[in-house]
Amino acid sequence: MKTINKLVSALFLFVISFAYADEIPPAPGAASKSGIGGGGPGAPASPIDMYVYVLAIVAIALIVFYTKRLKTQKA
């Protein structure tokens, strides 16, 4: 049961991290609706591409694989 709770907690942490990874905070002094002020829409400093999600899934799978392999070698 403890293992399931840890896995669910880790999965929840990763899902929340990826859900908020793409949000861009508003630029300071951004233009208001009246058109007064500086700043434009701009672009994110580091865009999140699709391969980042694939790499995260592969990393989690490798961690699980090597953890299970280590446990079977100890037993």
Side-chain angles (χ1 to χ4, degrees), residues 4-57:
I4 292 173
N5 288 339
K6 288 180 184 178
L7 287 174
V8 169
S9 300
L11 181 65
F12 180 75
L13 177 68
F14 283 119
V15 168
I16 295 301
S17 296
F18 287 133
Y20 289 107
D22 201 24
E23 288 187 6
I24 303 170
S32 64
K33 291 189 182 220
S34 64
I36 302 171
S46 58
I48 307 296
D49 292 328
M50 193 60 201
Y51 71 89
V52 175
Y53 298 117
V54 175
L55 288 176
I57 292 169

